[in-house]
Amino acid sequence: MPSDARQKMIQSAVTLLATRGLEGTAFSDVLAHSGAPRGSIYHHFPDGKVQLVEEAVDFAGDAITAAINQLAGEGGDPVEAIHLFVNVMRHVLVSSDFRAGCPVVAVAAESSPDAGEQARLSRTTARVFKDWNAALAAAIESKGVAPKRAQSLATLMIASIEGAVVMCRAQRTTAPLDEVETELEALVAAIV
Amino acid sequence: MPSDARQKMIQSAVTLLATRGLEGTAFSDVLAHSGAPRGSIYHHFPDGKVQLVEEAVDFAGDAITAAINQLAGEGGDPVEAIHLFVNVMRHVLVSSDFRAGCPVVAVAAESSPDAGEQARLSRTTARVFKDWNAALAAAIESKGVAPKRAQSLATLMIASIEGAVVMCRAQRTTAPLDEVETELEALVAAIV
DNA sequence: GTCTATACGAAGATAGAC
DNA sequence: GTCTATCTTCGTATAGAC
């Protein structure tokens, strides 16, 4: 199955981007990690590295968006959404011994919004952030919070969790993420 | 004055790191941007790029730490510290037309805590985060908040502001930072 | 101190055979 | 579809002259 190798490359790219960053992840790394045949890169991704990274960011981002939307669809509390989001990140950090962080942030941090090819990547990460925001805001709104407030709370969640992941990786401890989770849960529980 | 060229290189490195990231910033870029003579790099920075980046991160980080400490020393409200921190970041974003973000996060996002030379950079960014945290926590504590709570609030501030900067850069709008500021100020004002 | 020239390695992309 | 070989570019670092 040809799409099998393709999907493997995307998943390997997610892992490697989260660990080594955009510039630090070479095509050959993705090939070695995924075991994909060398000659098939430009067959599956005609636009090269940018396309592969784009699809990797979408794949990782959409997984979280879908999880939040599912939770919200089941009438779940926004506090559970925080827990879900934080747990995903904590697992990535701990299971990699703090070598890996969030692939979306890694790409966003290394992409200038105006630099040629990277503009594409900037747009991709922007879309993921927007999707996360919409999903979280909807979950909060469904509990009776005004749209504007729900929006800013959702932004606070995403920003603080993503920022905490960066701090955790540098400090090699989950403490920042733990502290952010505690504060966010207390804040949201008091509002909804 | 020899230290003049040195300081110029450090300041140029701060700007370029914030704009193009760690791997995206070449030595030649720093030279071109600072106007420093080509042959003087390894004279001023014997350990090469790692040393230059290290000093640039320290320089940028210490400037913010000092500003917060000064504010706290004057008995300033923690809400003012939030305002100060956010304003610095907002100015960087807007004045660069969203090309530049936070240099500390840029380096932190691209440094693996275990990879050879980059371990040094990881330790440097970790120290900056810790300094920011201590300064903000002290300012909050001085208003009668329990140490542990002050600590987690400080972490929430740093994480959310830094995360918001990443989002702002990708989305080319200050909206995330504005929303985070509003939420943080309301939260802290209610506590102190 | 500052210069030029260069060694050395890495990575993206392409060409053409199988 | 997949392979190998190669082109081209680029960035760090060093060597040695001025």
Short mmCIF file of all heavy atoms in Angstrom, two decimals, chain A residues 19 23 98-99 108-114 122 125-126 129-130 149 151-153 155-156 159-160 163-164 166-167 169-172 176 179 183 187, chain B residues 19 23 98-99 108-114 122 125-126 129-130 149 151-153 155-156 159-160 163-164 166 169-172 176 179 183 187:
data_model
loop_
_atom_site.label_atom_id
_atom_site.label_comp_id
_atom_site.label_asym_id
_atom_site.label_seq_id
_atom_site.Cartn_x
_atom_site.Cartn_y
_atom_site.Cartn_z
N THR A 19 11.02 17.17 18.26
CA THR A 19 12.28 16.92 18.96
C THR A 19 13.40 17.84 18.50
O THR A 19 14.10 18.43 19.32
CB THR A 19 12.72 15.46 18.76
OG1 THR A 19 11.63 14.59 19.08
CG2 THR A 19 13.91 15.13 19.64
N GLU A 23 14.35 23.38 11.19
CA GLU A 23 15.64 23.36 10.49
C GLU A 23 16.47 22.16 10.92
O GLU A 23 17.33 21.70 10.19
CB GLU A 23 16.41 24.65 10.77
CG GLU A 23 15.70 25.92 10.35
CD GLU A 23 15.97 26.28 8.89
OE1 GLU A 23 17.07 25.96 8.41
OE2 GLU A 23 15.08 26.87 8.27
N PHE A 98 11.91 14.67 27.95
CA PHE A 98 11.99 16.12 27.69
C PHE A 98 12.78 16.48 26.42
O PHE A 98 13.26 17.60 26.30
CB PHE A 98 12.56 16.87 28.90
CG PHE A 98 11.71 16.71 30.13
CD1 PHE A 98 12.05 15.77 31.10
CD2 PHE A 98 10.56 17.45 30.29
CE1 PHE A 98 11.25 15.59 32.23
CE2 PHE A 98 9.76 17.28 31.41
CZ PHE A 98 10.11 16.35 32.38
N ARG A 99 12.91 15.50 25.55
CA ARG A 99 13.56 15.80 24.28
C ARG A 99 12.55 16.40 23.30
O ARG A 99 12.91 17.23 22.48
CB ARG A 99 14.18 14.53 23.69
CG ARG A 99 15.56 14.24 24.23
CD ARG A 99 16.16 13.00 23.56
NE ARG A 99 15.76 11.78 24.24
CZ ARG A 99 16.42 11.21 25.24
NH1 ARG A 99 17.55 11.73 25.66
NH2 ARG A 99 15.98 10.10 25.81
N ALA A 108 5.99 26.82 14.27
CA ALA A 108 5.58 28.22 14.34
C ALA A 108 6.73 29.12 14.76
O ALA A 108 6.90 30.22 14.22
CB ALA A 108 4.41 28.38 15.32
N ALA A 109 7.54 28.65 15.70
CA ALA A 109 8.64 29.47 16.20
C ALA A 109 9.72 29.68 15.15
O ALA A 109 10.46 30.65 15.21
CB ALA A 109 9.24 28.83 17.46
N GLU A 110 9.81 28.76 14.20
CA GLU A 110 10.88 28.85 13.20
C GLU A 110 10.41 29.35 11.85
O GLU A 110 11.18 29.40 10.91
CB GLU A 110 11.55 27.47 13.03
CG GLU A 110 12.38 27.07 14.21
CD GLU A 110 13.14 25.79 13.94
OE1 GLU A 110 14.02 25.79 13.06
OE2 GLU A 110 12.85 24.77 14.60
N SER A 111 9.14 29.74 11.77
CA SER A 111 8.62 30.19 10.48
C SER A 111 8.31 31.67 10.51
O SER A 111 7.48 32.12 11.29
CB SER A 111 7.33 29.42 10.14
OG SER A 111 7.55 28.03 10.22
N SER A 112 8.97 32.42 9.65
CA SER A 112 8.64 33.83 9.51
C SER A 112 7.41 33.96 8.63
O SER A 112 7.30 33.27 7.62
CB SER A 112 9.80 34.59 8.88
OG SER A 112 10.82 34.80 9.81
N PRO A 113 6.50 34.84 9.02
CA PRO A 113 5.25 34.98 8.27
C PRO A 113 5.45 35.55 6.87
O PRO A 113 4.54 35.54 6.07
CB PRO A 113 4.43 35.96 9.12
CG PRO A 113 5.12 36.02 10.44
CD PRO A 113 6.55 35.72 10.17
N ASP A 114 6.65 36.02 6.57
CA ASP A 114 6.82 36.66 5.27
C ASP A 114 7.88 35.99 4.41
O ASP A 114 7.95 36.21 3.21
CB ASP A 114 7.19 38.13 5.46
CG ASP A 114 8.54 38.26 6.14
OD1 ASP A 114 8.83 37.41 7.01
OD2 ASP A 114 9.29 39.18 5.81
N SER A 122 3.68 29.21 8.16
CA SER A 122 3.11 30.15 9.10
C SER A 122 1.58 30.10 9.01
O SER A 122 0.89 30.10 10.03
CB SER A 122 3.61 31.56 8.80
OG SER A 122 4.07 32.19 9.97
N THR A 125 0.34 26.81 10.74
CA THR A 125 0.31 26.83 12.21
C THR A 125 -0.78 27.79 12.69
O THR A 125 -1.45 27.52 13.69
CB THR A 125 1.67 27.25 12.79
OG1 THR A 125 2.05 28.52 12.27
CG2 THR A 125 2.75 26.23 12.47
N ALA A 126 -0.96 28.90 11.98
CA ALA A 126 -2.00 29.85 12.36
C ALA A 126 -3.37 29.18 12.31
O ALA A 126 -4.21 29.38 13.19
CB ALA A 126 -1.97 31.07 11.44
N PHE A 129 -3.80 26.85 15.33
CA PHE A 129 -4.12 27.62 16.55
C PHE A 129 -5.57 28.08 16.53
O PHE A 129 -6.27 28.05 17.54
CB PHE A 129 -3.18 28.83 16.68
CG PHE A 129 -1.76 28.48 17.04
CD1 PHE A 129 -0.69 29.10 16.41
CD2 PHE A 129 -1.48 27.53 18.03
CE1 PHE A 129 0.62 28.78 16.75
CE2 PHE A 129 -0.17 27.21 18.37
CZ PHE A 129 0.88 27.84 17.73
N LYS A 130 -6.00 28.50 15.37
CA LYS A 130 -7.38 28.99 15.23
C LYS A 130 -8.38 27.86 15.46
O LYS A 130 -9.41 28.05 16.13
CB LYS A 130 -7.55 29.58 13.81
CG LYS A 130 -8.81 30.42 13.62
CD LYS A 130 -8.83 31.03 12.21
CE LYS A 130 -10.25 31.09 11.66
NZ LYS A 130 -10.44 30.39 10.37
N ARG A 149 -15.82 36.29 26.10
CA ARG A 149 -15.07 35.79 27.24
C ARG A 149 -14.58 34.37 26.96
O ARG A 149 -13.45 34.01 27.29
CB ARG A 149 -15.97 35.80 28.50
CG ARG A 149 -15.24 35.39 29.78
CD ARG A 149 -14.36 36.52 30.25
NE ARG A 149 -13.27 36.08 31.13
CZ ARG A 149 -13.38 35.82 32.43
NH1 ARG A 149 -14.54 35.95 33.03
NH2 ARG A 149 -12.32 35.45 33.13
N GLN A 151 -13.86 33.12 24.18
CA GLN A 151 -12.76 33.27 23.22
C GLN A 151 -11.44 33.60 23.92
O GLN A 151 -10.41 32.99 23.66
CB GLN A 151 -13.14 34.39 22.24
CG GLN A 151 -12.01 35.08 21.53
CD GLN A 151 -11.45 34.21 20.42
OE1 GLN A 151 -12.12 33.32 19.93
NE2 GLN A 151 -10.20 34.48 20.04
N SER A 152 -11.48 34.55 24.83
CA SER A 152 -10.23 34.95 25.49
C SER A 152 -9.76 33.89 26.48
O SER A 152 -8.55 33.70 26.67
CB SER A 152 -10.37 36.31 26.16
OG SER A 152 -11.27 36.26 27.25
N LEU A 153 -10.69 33.17 27.07
CA LEU A 153 -10.28 32.07 27.95
C LEU A 153 -9.63 30.95 27.15
O LEU A 153 -8.63 30.36 27.58
CB LEU A 153 -11.51 31.51 28.71
CG LEU A 153 -11.98 32.33 29.92
CD1 LEU A 153 -13.30 31.78 30.45
CD2 LEU A 153 -10.92 32.31 31.02
N THR A 155 -8.01 31.29 24.40
CA THR A 155 -6.67 31.76 24.03
C THR A 155 -5.70 31.62 25.19
O THR A 155 -4.55 31.19 25.01
CB THR A 155 -6.73 33.24 23.57
OG1 THR A 155 -7.57 33.34 22.43
CG2 THR A 155 -5.34 33.75 23.23
N LEU A 156 -6.16 31.99 26.38
CA LEU A 156 -5.31 31.85 27.56
C LEU A 156 -4.88 30.40 27.76
O LEU A 156 -3.72 30.12 28.09
CB LEU A 156 -6.04 32.35 28.82
CG LEU A 156 -5.22 32.29 30.11
CD1 LEU A 156 -4.14 33.35 30.13
CD2 LEU A 156 -6.12 32.44 31.35
N ALA A 159 -2.31 29.39 24.87
CA ALA A 159 -1.05 30.10 25.02
C ALA A 159 -0.27 29.61 26.23
O ALA A 159 0.93 29.35 26.15
CB ALA A 159 -1.31 31.60 25.13
N SER A 160 -0.96 29.45 27.35
CA SER A 160 -0.24 29.06 28.57
C SER A 160 0.23 27.61 28.51
O SER A 160 1.33 27.30 28.98
CB SER A 160 -1.12 29.30 29.80
OG SER A 160 -2.32 28.57 29.72
N GLY A 163 3.16 27.60 26.02
CA GLY A 163 4.31 28.27 26.63
C GLY A 163 4.93 27.40 27.71
O GLY A 163 6.15 27.31 27.84
N ALA A 164 4.07 26.74 28.49
CA ALA A 164 4.58 25.88 29.55
C ALA A 164 5.38 24.71 29.00
O ALA A 164 6.40 24.31 29.59
CB ALA A 164 3.42 25.36 30.40
N VAL A 166 7.25 24.71 26.37
CA VAL A 166 8.58 25.23 26.05
C VAL A 166 9.43 25.33 27.32
O VAL A 166 10.61 24.94 27.34
CB VAL A 166 8.48 26.62 25.37
CG1 VAL A 166 9.87 27.23 25.17
CG2 VAL A 166 7.76 26.51 24.05
N MET A 167 8.82 25.82 28.37
CA MET A 167 9.55 25.96 29.65
C MET A 167 9.92 24.59 30.23
O MET A 167 11.03 24.40 30.73
CB MET A 167 8.68 26.73 30.66
CG MET A 167 8.41 28.17 30.25
SD MET A 167 7.15 28.98 31.28
CE MET A 167 8.05 29.19 32.81
N ARG A 169 10.47 21.82 28.67
CA ARG A 169 11.53 21.20 27.90
C ARG A 169 12.89 21.77 28.30
O ARG A 169 13.86 21.03 28.47
CB ARG A 169 11.29 21.42 26.41
CG ARG A 169 11.68 20.24 25.54
CD ARG A 169 11.13 20.38 24.14
NE ARG A 169 11.89 21.32 23.35
CZ ARG A 169 12.81 20.97 22.44
NH1 ARG A 169 13.08 19.71 22.25
NH2 ARG A 169 13.43 21.89 21.75
N ALA A 170 12.94 23.09 28.47
CA ALA A 170 14.20 23.73 28.84
C ALA A 170 14.62 23.34 30.25
O ALA A 170 15.80 23.07 30.51
CB ALA A 170 14.08 25.25 28.73
N GLN A 171 13.66 23.27 31.15
CA GLN A 171 13.99 23.03 32.55
C GLN A 171 13.99 21.55 32.93
O GLN A 171 14.30 21.20 34.07
CB GLN A 171 13.00 23.80 33.44
CG GLN A 171 13.02 25.30 33.18
CD GLN A 171 12.08 26.07 34.09
OE1 GLN A 171 11.16 25.53 34.67
NE2 GLN A 171 12.33 27.38 34.21
N ARG A 172 13.58 20.71 31.99
CA ARG A 172 13.53 19.27 32.21
C ARG A 172 12.69 18.88 33.43
O ARG A 172 13.09 18.06 34.26
CB ARG A 172 14.95 18.70 32.36
CG ARG A 172 15.81 18.85 31.12
CD ARG A 172 17.17 18.19 31.32
NE ARG A 172 17.06 16.76 31.55
CZ ARG A 172 16.99 15.84 30.60
NH1 ARG A 172 17.02 16.21 29.34
NH2 ARG A 172 16.90 14.58 30.90
N PRO A 176 6.21 23.51 35.33
CA PRO A 176 5.46 24.60 34.72
C PRO A 176 4.10 24.16 34.19
O PRO A 176 3.10 24.86 34.38
CB PRO A 176 6.37 25.07 33.58
CG PRO A 176 7.75 24.70 34.03
CD PRO A 176 7.59 23.41 34.77
N GLU A 179 1.72 23.50 37.09
CA GLU A 179 1.25 24.75 37.70
C GLU A 179 0.21 25.44 36.82
O GLU A 179 -0.80 25.95 37.31
CB GLU A 179 2.43 25.69 37.96
CG GLU A 179 3.35 25.20 39.08
CD GLU A 179 4.67 25.96 39.15
OE1 GLU A 179 4.90 26.83 38.29
OE2 GLU A 179 5.46 25.67 40.05
N GLU A 183 -3.80 26.29 37.77
CA GLU A 183 -4.36 27.64 37.67
C GLU A 183 -5.52 27.69 36.67
O GLU A 183 -6.56 28.31 36.93
CB GLU A 183 -3.27 28.64 37.26
CG GLU A 183 -2.26 28.94 38.35
CD GLU A 183 -2.86 29.71 39.53
OE1 GLU A 183 -3.91 30.35 39.35
OE2 GLU A 183 -2.28 29.65 40.63
N LEU A 187 -9.45 28.53 37.50
CA LEU A 187 -10.07 29.70 36.86
C LEU A 187 -11.34 29.32 36.11
O LEU A 187 -12.39 29.94 36.27
CB LEU A 187 -9.05 30.34 35.89
CG LEU A 187 -9.56 31.52 35.06
CD1 LEU A 187 -9.94 32.68 35.96
CD2 LEU A 187 -8.51 31.96 34.05
N THR B 19 13.93 36.89 15.02
CA THR B 19 13.29 36.94 13.70
C THR B 19 13.43 35.63 12.93
O THR B 19 12.47 35.11 12.39
CB THR B 19 13.92 38.07 12.87
OG1 THR B 19 13.91 39.28 13.62
CG2 THR B 19 13.15 38.27 11.57
N GLU B 23 18.74 28.20 14.18
CA GLU B 23 19.38 27.62 13.00
C GLU B 23 19.30 28.58 11.81
O GLU B 23 20.14 28.52 10.92
CB GLU B 23 18.72 26.30 12.64
CG GLU B 23 18.78 25.24 13.73
CD GLU B 23 20.06 24.43 13.66
OE1 GLU B 23 20.59 24.23 12.55
OE2 GLU B 23 20.52 23.98 14.73
N PHE B 98 5.39 41.73 12.78
CA PHE B 98 5.20 40.32 13.15
C PHE B 98 6.28 39.39 12.59
O PHE B 98 6.07 38.20 12.48
CB PHE B 98 3.81 39.83 12.74
CG PHE B 98 2.71 40.59 13.42
CD1 PHE B 98 2.06 41.62 12.76
CD2 PHE B 98 2.36 40.31 14.72
CE1 PHE B 98 1.05 42.35 13.39
CE2 PHE B 98 1.35 41.02 15.36
CZ PHE B 98 0.69 42.04 14.70
N ARG B 99 7.41 40.00 12.24
CA ARG B 99 8.53 39.16 11.80
C ARG B 99 9.30 38.62 13.00
O ARG B 99 9.84 37.53 12.95
CB ARG B 99 9.45 39.95 10.88
CG ARG B 99 9.00 39.96 9.43
CD ARG B 99 10.01 40.70 8.54
NE ARG B 99 9.72 42.13 8.53
CZ ARG B 99 8.93 42.74 7.65
NH1 ARG B 99 8.36 42.04 6.70
NH2 ARG B 99 8.71 44.03 7.71
N ALA B 108 14.95 28.48 22.93
CA ALA B 108 14.46 27.36 23.73
C ALA B 108 13.77 26.32 22.86
O ALA B 108 13.96 25.10 23.06
CB ALA B 108 13.51 27.86 24.81
N ALA B 109 13.00 26.78 21.89
CA ALA B 109 12.25 25.85 21.04
C ALA B 109 13.17 25.03 20.15
O ALA B 109 12.82 23.94 19.73
CB ALA B 109 11.24 26.62 20.20
N GLU B 110 14.35 25.56 19.86
CA GLU B 110 15.25 24.86 18.94
C GLU B 110 16.41 24.15 19.63
O GLU B 110 17.29 23.63 18.97
CB GLU B 110 15.81 25.86 17.91
CG GLU B 110 14.80 26.32 16.91
CD GLU B 110 15.43 27.17 15.83
OE1 GLU B 110 16.24 26.64 15.07
OE2 GLU B 110 15.11 28.38 15.76
N SER B 111 16.40 24.17 20.96
CA SER B 111 17.50 23.53 21.68
C SER B 111 17.05 22.28 22.41
O SER B 111 16.19 22.35 23.27
CB SER B 111 18.09 24.51 22.71
OG SER B 111 18.42 25.72 22.09
N SER B 112 17.62 21.17 22.05
CA SER B 112 17.34 19.94 22.79
C SER B 112 18.17 19.94 24.07
O SER B 112 19.33 20.32 24.05
CB SER B 112 17.70 18.72 21.95
OG SER B 112 16.72 18.50 20.96
N PRO B 113 17.55 19.52 25.16
CA PRO B 113 18.24 19.56 26.45
C PRO B 113 19.40 18.57 26.54
O PRO B 113 20.18 18.61 27.47
CB PRO B 113 17.14 19.15 27.45
CG PRO B 113 15.86 19.26 26.71
CD PRO B 113 16.19 19.04 25.28
N ASP B 114 19.53 17.69 25.58
CA ASP B 114 20.57 16.68 25.68
C ASP B 114 21.58 16.73 24.55
O ASP B 114 22.67 16.18 24.66
CB ASP B 114 19.93 15.29 25.73
CG ASP B 114 19.23 14.97 24.42
OD1 ASP B 114 18.64 15.90 23.85
OD2 ASP B 114 19.28 13.82 23.98
N SER B 122 20.13 25.24 26.26
CA SER B 122 18.96 24.83 27.03
C SER B 122 19.09 25.31 28.47
O SER B 122 18.12 25.81 29.06
CB SER B 122 18.82 23.31 26.99
OG SER B 122 17.51 22.93 26.68
N THR B 125 18.44 29.18 28.57
CA THR B 125 17.03 29.57 28.50
C THR B 125 16.30 29.17 29.78
O THR B 125 15.44 29.91 30.27
CB THR B 125 16.32 28.96 27.28
OG1 THR B 125 16.46 27.53 27.33
CG2 THR B 125 16.91 29.47 25.99
N ALA B 126 16.66 28.02 30.33
CA ALA B 126 16.02 27.57 31.58
C ALA B 126 16.30 28.57 32.70
O ALA B 126 15.42 28.89 33.50
CB ALA B 126 16.53 26.18 31.97
N PHE B 129 14.11 31.71 32.22
CA PHE B 129 12.73 31.46 32.65
C PHE B 129 12.64 31.47 34.17
O PHE B 129 11.70 31.99 34.75
CB PHE B 129 12.24 30.12 32.10
CG PHE B 129 11.97 30.11 30.62
CD1 PHE B 129 12.36 29.04 29.82
CD2 PHE B 129 11.30 31.16 30.01
CE1 PHE B 129 12.11 29.02 28.45
CE2 PHE B 129 11.04 31.16 28.64
CZ PHE B 129 11.45 30.08 27.87
N LYS B 130 13.63 30.87 34.79
CA LYS B 130 13.65 30.79 36.26
C LYS B 130 13.78 32.19 36.87
O LYS B 130 13.10 32.52 37.85
CB LYS B 130 14.83 29.90 36.70
CG LYS B 130 14.78 29.45 38.15
CD LYS B 130 15.96 28.51 38.47
CE LYS B 130 16.48 28.73 39.87
NZ LYS B 130 17.93 29.03 39.93
N ARG B 149 1.28 29.81 45.68
CA ARG B 149 0.31 30.38 44.73
C ARG B 149 0.99 31.44 43.86
O ARG B 149 0.77 31.50 42.65
CB ARG B 149 -0.86 31.02 45.49
CG ARG B 149 -1.98 31.54 44.59
CD ARG B 149 -2.79 30.38 44.04
NE ARG B 149 -3.51 30.69 42.82
CZ ARG B 149 -4.69 31.33 42.76
NH1 ARG B 149 -5.27 31.74 43.87
NH2 ARG B 149 -5.28 31.54 41.59
N GLN B 151 4.01 31.56 43.01
CA GLN B 151 4.85 30.81 42.08
C GLN B 151 4.06 30.32 40.86
O GLN B 151 4.47 30.49 39.72
CB GLN B 151 5.47 29.62 42.83
CG GLN B 151 5.92 28.44 41.99
CD GLN B 151 7.21 28.76 41.26
OE1 GLN B 151 7.96 29.63 41.67
NE2 GLN B 151 7.46 28.05 40.18
N SER B 152 2.91 29.73 41.10
CA SER B 152 2.14 29.18 39.98
C SER B 152 1.50 30.30 39.15
O SER B 152 1.34 30.16 37.94
CB SER B 152 1.09 28.18 40.47
OG SER B 152 0.09 28.81 41.23
N LEU B 153 1.17 31.40 39.79
CA LEU B 153 0.65 32.54 39.03
C LEU B 153 1.74 33.13 38.13
O LEU B 153 1.48 33.48 36.97
CB LEU B 153 0.13 33.63 39.98
CG LEU B 153 -1.27 33.38 40.58
CD1 LEU B 153 -1.58 34.43 41.65
CD2 LEU B 153 -2.35 33.39 39.50
N THR B 155 4.24 31.53 36.86
CA THR B 155 4.42 30.60 35.76
C THR B 155 3.33 30.77 34.71
O THR B 155 3.61 30.77 33.50
CB THR B 155 4.41 29.14 36.27
OG1 THR B 155 5.48 28.96 37.19
CG2 THR B 155 4.57 28.16 35.12
N LEU B 156 2.09 30.94 35.19
CA LEU B 156 0.98 31.15 34.25
C LEU B 156 1.22 32.40 33.40
O LEU B 156 0.97 32.40 32.19
CB LEU B 156 -0.35 31.27 34.99
CG LEU B 156 -1.59 31.46 34.11
CD1 LEU B 156 -1.92 30.15 33.39
CD2 LEU B 156 -2.79 31.93 34.92
N ALA B 159 4.24 31.70 30.87
CA ALA B 159 3.85 30.72 29.86
C ALA B 159 2.83 31.29 28.89
O ALA B 159 2.96 31.14 27.66
CB ALA B 159 3.31 29.46 30.53
N SER B 160 1.81 31.97 29.40
CA SER B 160 0.75 32.46 28.53
C SER B 160 1.23 33.61 27.65
O SER B 160 0.85 33.71 26.48
CB SER B 160 -0.48 32.86 29.34
OG SER B 160 -0.16 33.86 30.28
N GLY B 163 3.56 32.02 25.04
CA GLY B 163 2.74 31.26 24.09
C GLY B 163 1.96 32.18 23.17
O GLY B 163 1.83 31.92 21.96
N ALA B 164 1.45 33.25 23.74
CA ALA B 164 0.67 34.20 22.94
C ALA B 164 1.53 34.85 21.86
O ALA B 164 1.07 35.09 20.74
CB ALA B 164 0.05 35.26 23.84
N VAL B 166 4.01 33.54 20.26
CA VAL B 166 4.12 32.57 19.17
C VAL B 166 2.87 32.60 18.30
O VAL B 166 2.94 32.61 17.06
CB VAL B 166 4.36 31.15 19.72
CG1 VAL B 166 4.33 30.13 18.59
CG2 VAL B 166 5.68 31.08 20.48
N ARG B 169 2.60 35.89 16.19
CA ARG B 169 3.51 35.91 15.04
C ARG B 169 2.93 35.11 13.88
O ARG B 169 2.99 35.54 12.73
CB ARG B 169 4.87 35.35 15.45
CG ARG B 169 6.04 36.04 14.80
CD ARG B 169 7.35 35.66 15.45
NE ARG B 169 7.80 34.34 15.09
CZ ARG B 169 8.74 34.10 14.17
NH1 ARG B 169 9.32 35.10 13.55
NH2 ARG B 169 9.11 32.88 13.90
N ALA B 170 2.37 33.94 14.22
CA ALA B 170 1.80 33.08 13.18
C ALA B 170 0.56 33.73 12.56
O ALA B 170 0.37 33.69 11.35
CB ALA B 170 1.47 31.71 13.74
N GLN B 171 -0.26 34.35 13.40
CA GLN B 171 -1.53 34.87 12.91
C GLN B 171 -1.45 36.33 12.46
O GLN B 171 -2.44 36.89 11.99
CB GLN B 171 -2.60 34.72 14.02
CG GLN B 171 -2.79 33.27 14.44
CD GLN B 171 -3.86 33.10 15.51
OE1 GLN B 171 -4.23 34.04 16.18
NE2 GLN B 171 -4.35 31.87 15.65
N ARG B 172 -0.28 36.93 12.68
CA ARG B 172 -0.07 38.32 12.28
C ARG B 172 -1.10 39.27 12.89
O ARG B 172 -1.65 40.15 12.20
CB ARG B 172 -0.07 38.47 10.75
CG ARG B 172 1.05 37.73 10.06
CD ARG B 172 1.03 37.96 8.57
NE ARG B 172 1.23 39.36 8.23
CZ ARG B 172 2.40 39.94 8.07
NH1 ARG B 172 3.49 39.22 8.20
NH2 ARG B 172 2.51 41.21 7.78
N PRO B 176 -4.17 37.56 20.27
CA PRO B 176 -3.90 36.60 21.35
C PRO B 176 -3.23 37.25 22.56
O PRO B 176 -3.60 36.96 23.70
CB PRO B 176 -2.97 35.57 20.69
CG PRO B 176 -3.32 35.62 19.25
CD PRO B 176 -3.63 37.07 18.98
N GLU B 179 -5.76 39.41 24.44
CA GLU B 179 -6.71 38.59 25.22
C GLU B 179 -6.05 38.02 26.47
O GLU B 179 -6.64 37.99 27.55
CB GLU B 179 -7.25 37.45 24.34
CG GLU B 179 -8.19 37.95 23.24
CD GLU B 179 -8.51 36.89 22.20
OE1 GLU B 179 -7.95 35.77 22.28
OE2 GLU B 179 -9.31 37.17 21.30
N GLU B 183 -7.12 38.71 30.47
CA GLU B 183 -7.42 37.62 31.40
C GLU B 183 -6.46 37.62 32.59
O GLU B 183 -6.87 37.45 33.74
CB GLU B 183 -7.36 36.26 30.68
CG GLU B 183 -8.51 36.00 29.72
CD GLU B 183 -9.84 35.82 30.44
OE1 GLU B 183 -9.85 35.50 31.64
OE2 GLU B 183 -10.89 36.01 29.80
N LEU B 187 -7.43 38.27 36.53
CA LEU B 187 -7.15 37.21 37.50
C LEU B 187 -6.29 37.71 38.65
O LEU B 187 -6.62 37.50 39.84
CB LEU B 187 -6.44 36.04 36.79
CG LEU B 187 -5.98 34.88 37.67
CD1 LEU B 187 -7.17 34.19 38.31
CD2 LEU B 187 -5.16 33.88 36.86
#
